Amino acid sequence: MRNNLPSDWKKRIRHILLDLDSRIDSTLFSSAAGARELYERFSTFMDRFYVGHWKRWVIVEPLSEAATLGLGGLILLLALAQPAFRETADEDWLKKSDLAVAFLDRYGNPIGSRGIKHNDSIPLEEFPDNLIKATLATEDRRFYDHFGIDIGGTFRALVTNAQAGGVRQGGSSISQQLAKNLFLSNERTIERKVNEAFLAVWLETRLSKNEILKLYLDRAYMGGGTFGVDGAAHFYFNKSVRDVNLAESAMLAGLFKAPTKYAPHINLPAARARANQVLDNMVDAGFMTEGQVFGARRNPATAVDRRDENSPNYYLDWAFEEMRKLVDTFPRSYTERVFVVRTAIDMNVQQAAEEAIESQLRQFGRDYHATQAATVVADLDGGVRAMVGGRDYGASQFNRSTDALRQPGSSFKPYVYTTALLNGFTPTSKIVDGPVCLGNWCPQNYGHSYSGTVTLTQALTRSINVVPVKLSIALGKGAKNPAKAGRAKIVEVARKFGIVTPLPDTPSLPIGADEVNVLEHAVAYVAFPNKGKAVTPHAVLEVRTGAGDLVWRYDRDGPQPRQIIPPSVAADMAGMMSHVVSEGTARRAILDGIPAAGKTGTTNAYRDAWFVGYTGNFVCGVWYGNDDYSPTNRLTGGALPAQTWHDIMTAAHRGIEVKDLPGVAAPAKPTADVAAKTAASDDDAKPAPPPILTKRGADILVRVEKMLDQAAKTIGKTSAGEPVNPARSGALSPTSSGGGAENLAAATSSDRAAPAPSKN
């Protein structure tokens, strides 16, 4: 190899490297010289624009700073808008909200609908001119002039709200409101407003002004479960939007701001006042004269009376959200957006639940200082048979069964006792009810007393607070921090039951200090009568297309029950919890001839009152309290919640086969003599009048009837000429054995006396 190379090869390589180095140095030197010369020329040129003295600090520097801050702000806004723009990544973004669902009850009867069906059958040209003008005058007067954001309108709204000290005027354009309806939520955050603004501009680049206006009119929520002005016209006025007059157009346009507040079927005076404001806006905007709107002012619109229509709106809202999540799991190749859904609701049970809550709140809500309630009834498959999310859907659409988090109190204790049974304890295991402290926290029992040595069954029946805390310590025995380790086991078991809300580790967790919602808490109890199998709460049983083709079925495609505890443990827990109903804090929940079990719950300061119970057929959870977290007047879970549970479950079991409850013996039906002897005491124990006439009330009515008959006979004799001795006849004498008006009033008031709050 060495012989094949020339003798001076090293010298040649050295020369090549030196040549390369010199070329690099020359290039760098020339570049630097050229750059220096270019910079000097640029500096000489820019010197012509030099501004000194006051002009620099008054004009140049502020503009430079504004440009710098503006660029930084633009970058920040773009970063905040990224989540919103991801919503538009789907090519089907326009149809994403185009989901229309018709709901049926479990027997196939229509109960309502939800969602938005894009309806092109009414083009924008056929919408009444009055409605278009009313909408533009009220929502966005410069709609056809701006680029998606009305800067002048936004500034005007900011000034108006600042002067008023609150939100008095909205600054969002129609494009922004449509962007919110299509892609965003109603939360009031800066991030949402930024996303809304960017998406509004994005919509303006994709759609024409008329298309945006048409989508807004078709998809805005208008109250009463309706979307779009055509649906609202049919719902409120029983006519097509093509046929609405000026007064009706003004009322419809007034709904965009607050459809619940101004819905005419709920608050007609407020709706008419809002419609009058819309007419003022039309005059101010120059769309009409005062003379043209005078007739609409004198003859305001009247909505169809729908007070007798009973739609399970809380249930439908929740079912629609479940359906939206379910549709996302369908194959992307599936393009159908109109469905008919059969749900698990039983309208008889739903109506009974609504009536029971309204009856209790109407009669005793003021006495107990309780203004709201919620309940969920489900079968052992997890199908929700009834749901009440509040006292009045028209007044508040907030669903307290699914969205409100409240402390469960002692109704959380079954998870603690289940954990104990899973770790070697038995229902007859004994534990000392005595003082215990974890750091500075020392739990107290109701009544601030102790019972000494008790069994787990006795502790659960009496709802003793100290025992669950001691159990949590015993469950973590051997760990560095026994109480913390024991609580971790309790949380793990609660998760298996179906509690998904956060359960922070606090010393008071075993006695229900953490928050849950009514839906998950009630359905979690299904594991007890279901032989240890937990289920998933659901509304949807079957999904079909508009043409009737089966798409999805819960028993085939839904999550199956999962075994979380042994059947023996579930039976032991049911046996323990049955004592709560038969002889403990929930005696008002006793069902005639139906085995039942459950647990009451009452939180600190009586803010929340619960009863969650079950039979071999159903599980039901009931909550009472106040939205503002204010305390009630010593309302406990054994009072209104237990009585409401009794009324609902009595209706739910009517006409069905009562199933056995594993671990609980069927109660013996009382004889006629025993029932007669206990009727009076039972009436006194109930927090509300019973759903049927009591024996005492029937006797009073019989006596009154006899008195009236006797009085009628006496009057007949008098008319024939025979004198009457009132003292001897005794017809209406207050001292007669028949009772008279005073005795009748006393007896009636005795039957209907409000109960004293009882122990948890």
Side-chain angles (χ1 to χ4, degrees):
M1 182 70 181
R2 184 176 298 176
N3 294 332
N4 294 331
L5 293 174
S7 58
D8 59 346
W9 63 274
K10 292 183 179 181
K11 185 177 181 181
R12 291 183 180 182
I13 292 176
R14 188 180 300 110
H15 289 169
I16 293 173
L17 294 176
L18 288 173
D19 179 69
L20 179 62
D21 180 66
S22 62
R23 290 178 184 276
I24 293 174
D25 290 343
S26 175
T27 301
L28 292 175
F29 179 79
S30 300
S31 300
R36 184 171 59 253
E37 182 179 357
L38 183 64
Y39 176 75
E40 290 175 354
R41 290 180 180 179
F42 176 76
S43 298
T44 302
F45 176 78
M46 294 302 297
D47 286 342
R48 301 176 185 178
F49 305 99
Y50 175 76
V51 178
H53 305 294
W54 64 271
K55 294 182 180 179
R56 175 182 178 183
W57 302 107
V58 174
I59 301 176
V60 177
E61 291 296 336
L63 289 177
S64 299
E65 293 298 328
T68 302
L69 294 175
L71 180 61
L74 182 61
I75 295 174
L76 177 61
L77 292 178
L78 287 173
L80 292 175
Q82 289 305 306
F85 283 126
R86 280 195 290 268
E87 297 287 341
T88 66
D90 191 350
E91 296 179 358
D92 196 34
W93 63 271
L94 189 57
K95 294 183 179 180
K96 190 171 184 180
S97 299
D98 197 11
L99 178 65
V101 182
F103 289 102
L104 311 175
D105 67 8
R106 64 185 304 104
Y107 306 112
N109 303 308
I111 56 173
S113 61
R114 287 293 186 273
I116 308 169
K117 184 177 180 180
H118 193 73
N119 185 7
D120 290 327
S121 62
I122 305 180
L124 185 64
E125 293 75 16
E126 296 186 17
F127 280 72
D129 185 60
N130 293 333
L131 178 61
I132 301 296
K133 290 179 178 178
T135 301
L136 295 178
T138 304
E139 297 299 312
D140 191 354
R141 297 181 185 181
R142 288 192 289 270
F143 172 68
Y144 284 98
D145 299 326
H146 59 66
F147 58 92
I149 303 174
D150 185 4
I151 297 177
T154 302
F155 180 76
R156 182 181 64 253
L158 290 175
V159 173
T160 302
N161 294 336
Q163 292 175 346
V167 179
R168 293 292 182 271
Q169 191 176 98
S172 297
S173 66
I174 285 179
S175 301
Q176 289 175 272
Q177 295 181 58
L178 178 62
K180 180 187 69 175
N181 293 339
L182 290 177
F183 302 107
L184 306 174
S185 65
N186 290 322
E187 60 178 348
R188 292 188 175 185
T189 62
I190 296 178
E191 181 181 359
R192 195 216 79 188
K193 294 298 293 184
V194 171
N195 294 339
E196 180 183 285
F198 274 96
L199 287 171
V201 177
W202 184 85
L203 284 174
E204 292 274 348
T205 64
R206 297 297 192 279
L207 303 172
S208 67
K209 286 287 188 179
N210 285 344
E211 288 174 333
I212 291 175
L213 181 58
K214 177 66 165 60
L215 282 172
Y216 179 71
L217 293 174
D218 281 345
R219 301 198 175 191
Y221 180 66
M222 305 294 285
T226 63
F227 288 85
V229 291
D230 186 54
H234 281 285
F235 182 79
Y236 295 122
F237 309 122
N238 203 22
K239 62 173 67 174
S240 170
V241 70
R242 295 185 180 95
D243 304 322
V244 296
N245 56 35
L246 176 58
E248 293 165 345
S249 296
M251 188 170 287
L252 290 175
L255 292 172
F256 290 115
K257 179 180 180 180
T260 301
K261 181 179 180 181
Y262 299 118
H265 71 301
I266 295 175
N267 193 340
L268 185 59
R272 286 178 170 174
R274 175 62 177 166
N276 202 48
Q277 293 178 1
V278 173
L279 295 175
D280 290 338
N281 295 336
M282 296 176 71
V283 175
D284 293 340
F287 294 157
M288 283 191 171
T289 65
E290 184 61 39
Q292 290 174 308
V293 303
F294 179 76
R297 294 189 193 274
R298 291 293 302 271
N299 300 284
T302 300
V304 176
D305 188 1
R306 298 187 180 275
R307 289 174 296 179
D308 293 335
E309 295 185 4
N310 187 20
S311 180
N313 289 306
Y314 287 115
Y315 191 101
L316 293 179
D317 289 347
W318 172 64
F320 183 64
E321 289 302 315
E322 180 181 329
M323 185 60 191
R324 291 180 63 177
K325 296 176 183 177
L326 188 60
V327 169
D328 291 338
T329 65
F330 293 169
R332 294 184 63 87
S333 59
Y334 196 85
T335 58
E336 181 69 45
R337 306 295 293 178
V338 180
F339 299 97
V340 177
V341 174
R342 187 170 65 88
T343 65
I345 191 172
D346 185 328
M347 287 303 297
N348 292 326
V349 181
Q350 176 71 27
Q351 184 176 0
E354 294 173 355
E355 291 177 352
I357 283 181
E358 176 60 28
S359 174
Q360 298 297 327
L361 285 175
R362 184 175 60 253
Q363 296 183 65
F364 303 110
R366 180 174 298 180
D367 296 335
Y368 281 109
H369 297 168
T371 59
Q372 282 295 347
T375 184
V376 169
V377 182
D379 55 38
L380 301 193
D381 293 327
V384 177
R385 298 289 184 105
M387 174 184 289
V388 180
R391 185 175 186 178
D392 185 358
Y393 182 85
S396 171
Q397 288 78 54
F398 180 70
N399 193 333
R400 295 155 189 83
S401 291
T402 60
D403 301 329
L405 296 179
R406 306 301 293 239
Q407 292 180 340
S410 295
S411 65
F412 188 84
K413 292 176 183 176
Y415 308 128
V416 180
Y417 284 89
T418 300
T419 308
L421 297 187
L422 292 173
N423 287 270
F425 287 84
T426 67
T428 57
S429 296
K430 294 183 178 180
I431 193 166
V432 177
D433 173 24
V436 63
C437 292
L438 295 176
N440 296 326
W441 179 70
C442 302
Q444 297 291 326
N445 294 326
Y446 190 96
H448 304 283
S449 61
Y450 301 100
S451 302
T453 302
V454 294
T455 65
L456 296 191
T457 300
Q458 292 171 333
L460 183 63
T461 302
R462 301 182 198 172
S463 196
I464 297 174
N465 286 333
V466 171
V467 171
V469 177
K470 286 192 171 184
L471 284 176
S472 68
I473 300 173
L475 290 171
K477 186 177 181 180
K480 184 177 180 180
N481 188 336
K484 186 178 183 66
R487 293 194 297 269
K489 291 183 178 181
I490 295 170
V491 171
E492 181 182 359
V493 170
R495 294 286 185 225
K496 291 180 179 179
F497 271 80
I499 303 298
V500 298
T501 52
L503 295 174
D505 183 18
T506 60
S508 55
L509 178 144
I511 58 175
D514 290 348
E515 296 175 329
V516 298
N517 65 54
V518 179
L519 176 64
E520 66 176 7
H521 193 33
V523 178
Y525 270 44
V526 167
F528 297 125
N530 210 22
K531 300 181 180 180
K533 293 182 179 179
V535 296
T536 302
H538 61 276
V540 179
L541 295 181
E542 189 176 85
V543 179
R544 293 183 180 271
T545 65
D549 299 328
L550 180 64
V551 177
W552 188 90
R553 198 170 64 199
Y554 186 85
D555 57 358
R556 182 190 67 188
D557 307 310
Q560 300 301 310
R562 54 198 183 278
Q563 193 77 43
I564 60 169
I565 58 176
S568 59
V569 173
D572 287 342
M573 283 300 303
M576 295 168 62
M577 296 169 73
S578 68
H579 290 276
V580 178
V581 175
S582 62
E583 58 193 75
T585 57
R587 288 188 293 274
R588 294 191 181 101
I590 296 175
L591 300 174
D592 185 18
I594 303 175
K599 187 68 189 76
T600 55
T602 308
T603 61
N604 287 341
Y606 301 93
R607 288 187 172 91
D608 304 283
W610 294 75
F611 180 67
V612 186
Y614 51 89
T615 66
N617 298 80
F618 304 110
V619 63
C620 176
V622 181
W623 167 86
Y624 277 83
N626 296 300
D627 286 340
D628 59 2
Y629 203 59
S630 60
T632 64
N633 183 22
R634 301 182 64 83
L635 175 61
T636 64
L640 298 189
Q643 181 63 43
T644 302
W645 186 93
H646 168 274
D647 296 342
I648 295 172
M649 295 294 266
T650 298
H653 288 81
R654 189 174 295 129
I656 67 171
E657 179 184 356
V658 177
K659 297 180 181 179
D660 294 333
L661 182 58
V664 181
K669 293 186 178 181
T671 62
D673 294 339
V674 175
K677 291 179 181 179
T678 59
S681 62
D682 287 345
D683 291 340
D684 293 338
K686 292 181 180 179
I692 59 176
L693 194 64
T694 63
K695 185 177 184 300
R696 184 177 183 182
D699 293 338
I700 292 173
L701 290 179
V702 170
R703 291 199 300 270
V704 171
E705 183 180 8
K706 291 180 179 179
M707 291 159 53
L708 293 175
D709 290 340
Q710 186 175 0
K713 294 178 181 178
T714 303
I715 293 174
K717 292 180 179 180
T718 303
S719 62
E722 184 176 338
V724 178
N725 186 345
R728 193 172 66 182
S729 68
L732 294 174
S733 171
T735 59
S736 65
S737 60
E742 291 182 0
N743 289 341
L744 175 61
T748 305
S749 63
S750 176
D751 276 350
R752 296 188 177 184
S758 64
K759 178 184 173 183
N760 184 30

